[in-house]
Amino acid sequence: MLQRWWQNLLNRTRSAASAQAALETPSGTVIPVSRAGQWLLLTLGLALAWVVGWGLVVLNQEAIRLSKPTLADGGATTLLFRDAWAVASAAAHYPIDQPGQSVGLPDEWPRSHPSYEGSIWYRVHFETPLQPTTDKLLAAYIERACSNVEVHLNGQLLYRGGRMTEPVARNCDQSHVVPLPTFLLRTGSNQLDLKVTGYPIERVTARQRAGGLDEVRVGPLQDMQRMHQDHEFWSNTVSQVIAGILVVLGLFALGLAWVRQLSYLTYFGLLTIGWSLMTGRWWINELPVSNASTEVLVAMMFAPMTAFAIKFLLGYSGHGVRNRKARDLTRQVNALLWAQCLLLPLSLWLVGVNGLFLVARLWYVLFALELFVAIGYFLWHSGRTRKPEFWLMSVALGVVSAVMGIELFFQNGLLRVWGVHVTYFVMPVLYAVVAVRLIQVYAGALKTAEGARNQLEKRVQEISAEIERNFNQIAELRVEQIAEKERKRIAADLHDDLGAKLLTIVHTSDNDRISTLAREALEEMRLSVRGLTGRPMVLSDALADWRAEVVSRLGQSGIEIEWRNSIDEVEEPLSARTYVQTTRIIREAVSNIIKHSQASHVVIHTDVHLEHHDFLLVIQDNGKGIPMELDGRLDRGHGMTSMKHRAKQLNGQCLVESGPGFGTVIRLTLPLEIAVVQQKVPLEHTQAASTASIPNGAQGSPLGTTP
């Protein structure tokens, strides 16, 4: 609700700034925001960060208070020592002959023994009211002794945490449980001596690794072991588990960075892995190097860690992606970040071992300021583009500010956070939250990319199918064009060569029989030429041509003809192929009537079925019919068989019904082939090679007779 209210407020306050250059977010959405709105949004983000940071400080203080057990925690038999007698000495046993002082526990050497390096003996006295039994052993519990501790009971050495000479074992993060043997305990007063070896604060790079001793407890062994296990779990085990999770997240981020080619994911992966190495308590307690070398190595890691964090924030905000000036600034920032990775160890080397803490503290303050600036810039940029990361990073700013504030106050001695506190676990949780957000963004981008890929594949398939169809159409058209060209060439050759010779025979022959045969051959050639040219015609014109020819031929043979048209004007198109084949079927039927039927009357009926796009032609005579003994012979010849074959080629049928003394009925049903005709080029004008150019002298044939 707050975000919606804020967006509505920005919409109302946006005026002149909307005409300026729009800011493009990583998702590609351009959303201009006024400058006043940017500052107001940044103020809200900082306020949210302050609230989160203050809450973290309060939570940290409460966690520290609750983590400190009191006298009642271990029962009536548990003793808590808050004071001890301290003597600075490196002797093998407690130096009773040297002066000491009373110190409060926890004892921090920077306060009680400034600049001291070596060993300090602590002595506490306790009394056992009864002689302990074997079934109820006592133990001493030391939550923290930095850098290492050695325990004596009544002058006898009981426990040593590791090497007590240089290089001293680094056990600042370890707790210690020392069983107190029954035979060494006295009924009454007992002396528990602790020898702590550590380093002054000047020779370490963090205050928590300076010399010191925490409170000491003596109680039942089981209770002390339980406290030790609880401390180890929260201080070491949990840290190692979280560090392992961070390593997995870091490797996952590096994998995404390699797949997606996103540099900011690389920096985030390196940042999480580096943090896990620094805080995971993976280090060996007894390193074969000096304390100064170890401290320098630890401090050196903060410089690249800071660089990784800043580079991640700048890259994730989109800084320097499209603006050339921003890219130049990015190169300068890169140079400074990597330069300080060299300057940090160089400065520590120049000041020497006695100035490590001072120089490291200055660097920590500088790193904290750099992170504040980077997070502030991210908030400013994400506030302008209204990215969802604005609210996430506002909370992150509060968390980081609180953690760094607590750490800086502790390093400067202004805050005491001795022991385990909540800030140890806040930063890993913060890394996990940011990692989850990055995975969410990647999942959304992956889902979008998957949808786009599916759409692209679908579009590619559609285009491929369309290309294939076009290719097939082009191939068919090319074949048709070649065939059409070849047909026209053959038609032209027939017309120019054979047609001219037949026409010469028609006009020069003195024999009527030869002249008639030549005229029939000329008409057949004209029909063939017409079929080769492929020009369609209207069905009404075709019916008129067929009627004229049939009436002429039957009339010359003395046979009456009755032509019945169900429809006078039929505008349906008829392909040239259908026209030619139908003409030959009709000619064959008329020839059979003239030669074999002995008919005196013929009725021809035509009908057009517009809904089925076909037409029917029925030829009926009153002749003697087809004798049974001739039926097979006619089918084997070129008569009825050729008619049926031609009809079948046109996807039609030709049925013959006949009987002796009942005449013959021929039913011809043929499709109009509208789809084929409509793909043809409209009727062309008569070409020079068309049959219309044949001299009029040839039109004296019976085929030229009109009804």
Side-chain angles (χ1 to χ4, degrees), residues 454-472:
N454 293 335
Q455 293 180 357
L456 181 60
E457 289 182 353
K458 183 178 179 181
R459 182 57 179 163
V460 168
Q461 292 177 356
E462 293 176 353
I463 294 177
S464 299
E466 184 177 357
I467 292 175
E468 185 175 358
R469 288 194 301 270
N470 293 337
F471 178 79
N472 293 334

Side-chain angles (χ1 to χ4, degrees), residues 547-559:
R547 180 178 180 180
E549 180 178 351
V550 170
V551 169
S552 176
R553 292 185 63 189
L554 292 179
Q556 290 179 1
S557 300
I559 301 174

Side-chain angles (χ1 to χ4, degrees), residues 77 79 81 125-130 138 186-190 218:
T77 58
L79 302 177
F81 299 98
H125 295 269
F126 67 96
E127 295 184 359
T128 55
L130 297 175
L138 296 180
R186 305 168 185 170
T187 303
S189 178
N190 292 273
V218 175

Side-chain angles (χ1 to χ4, degrees), residues 94-164:
Y94 183 84
I96 58 176
D97 56 343
Q98 294 185 14
Q101 59 179 348
S102 178
V103 296
L105 300 179
D107 178 33
E108 300 181 37
W109 288 13
R111 298 177 183 272
S112 61
H113 300 81
S115 303
Y116 179 77
E117 179 179 6
S119 301
I120 296 180
W121 284 90
Y122 295 88
R123 169 168 286 187
V124 295
H125 295 269
F126 67 96
E127 295 184 359
T128 55
L130 297 175
Q131 183 69 24
T133 61
T134 56
D135 59 345
K136 193 173 183 180
L137 297 177
L138 296 180
Y141 172 69
I142 307 166
E143 183 173 307
R144 183 177 183 274
C146 193
S147 173
N148 197 19
V149 65
E150 185 178 285
V151 180
H152 296 249
L153 176 62
N154 295 326
Q156 296 294 324
L157 175 65
L158 297 181
Y159 173 81
R160 180 179 294 153
R163 183 189 297 272
M164 298 293 292

Side-chain angles (χ1 to χ4, degrees), residues 479-667:
V479 172
E480 185 177 354
Q481 288 176 347
I482 295 175
E484 182 71 17
K485 183 178 180 181
E486 187 65 18
R487 285 196 298 268
K488 290 181 178 180
R489 185 190 65 79
I490 295 174
D493 291 343
L494 289 175
H495 175 270
D496 296 339
D497 189 7
L498 183 59
K501 293 180 180 179
L502 290 175
L503 186 61
T504 301
I505 296 174
V506 170
H507 289 283
T508 59
S509 177
D510 295 333
N511 191 323
D512 293 338
R513 178 60 178 170
I514 295 176
S515 178
T516 301
L517 292 176
R519 185 176 292 108
E520 291 177 357
L522 182 61
E523 290 300 329
E524 185 64 27
M525 185 209 68
R526 292 178 60 193
L527 184 62
S528 299
V529 168
R530 186 166 192 172
L532 290 173
T533 55
R535 292 194 302 273
M537 64 186 307
V538 179
L539 181 57
S540 298
D541 297 338
L543 290 174
D545 290 346
W546 295 332
R547 180 178 180 180
E549 180 178 351
V550 170
V551 169
S552 176
R553 292 185 63 189
L554 292 179
Q556 290 179 1
S557 300
I559 301 174
E560 295 181 358
I561 175 67
E562 181 181 354
W563 189 284
R564 300 174 184 175
N565 282 337
S566 60
I567 301 177
D568 294 334
E569 296 292 335
V570 182
E571 300 298 331
E572 295 292 330
L574 191 69
S575 66
R577 178 169 175 266
T578 302
Y579 173 78
V580 172
Q581 296 296 344
T582 304
T583 301
R584 287 174 175 164
I585 293 174
I586 294 174
R587 286 182 178 177
E588 181 64 28
V590 172
S591 297
N592 290 336
I593 292 173
I594 295 173
K595 295 178 181 179
H596 306 292
S597 69
Q598 300 179 6
S600 61
H601 185 79
V602 176
V603 177
I604 299 179
H605 175 74
T606 62
D607 193 8
V608 177
H609 300 153
L610 297 177
E611 65 276 9
H612 300 297
H613 299 291
D614 59 11
F615 73 93
L616 174 66
L617 190 145
V618 180
I619 304 175
Q620 183 177 4
D621 63 61
N622 61 351
K624 64 179 182 179
I626 303 176
M628 295 298 294
E629 65 274 8
L630 297 179
D631 182 60
R633 184 177 61 83
L634 290 175
D635 282 346
R636 287 195 300 269
H638 64 278
M640 297 300 177
T641 303
S642 65
M643 294 168 59
K644 294 179 179 180
H645 181 68
R646 294 182 190 275
K648 187 176 180 180
Q649 287 181 341
L650 298 176
N651 295 324
Q653 63 180 354
C654 180
L655 301 178
V656 179
E657 300 175 2
S658 181
F662 295 99
T664 303
V665 179
I666 300 175
R667 300 179 183 274

Side-chain angles (χ1 to χ4, degrees), residues 48 61 71 87 130 175 395 430 451 469 558 572 605 610 635 689:
L48 177 61
Q61 294 293 340
L71 285 174
V87 178
L130 297 175
S175 61
V395 176
L430 180 62
R469 288 194 301 270
E572 295 292 330
H605 175 74
L610 297 177
D635 282 346

Side-chain angles (χ1 to χ4, degrees), residues 271-294:
L271 178 63
T272 54
I273 294 176
W275 184 270
S276 66
L277 293 177
M278 292 178 59
T279 61
R281 311 291 169 84
W282 308 103
W283 307 102
I284 301 175
N285 293 336
E286 296 190 36
L287 297 175
V289 294
S290 64
N291 174 75
S293 300
T294 304

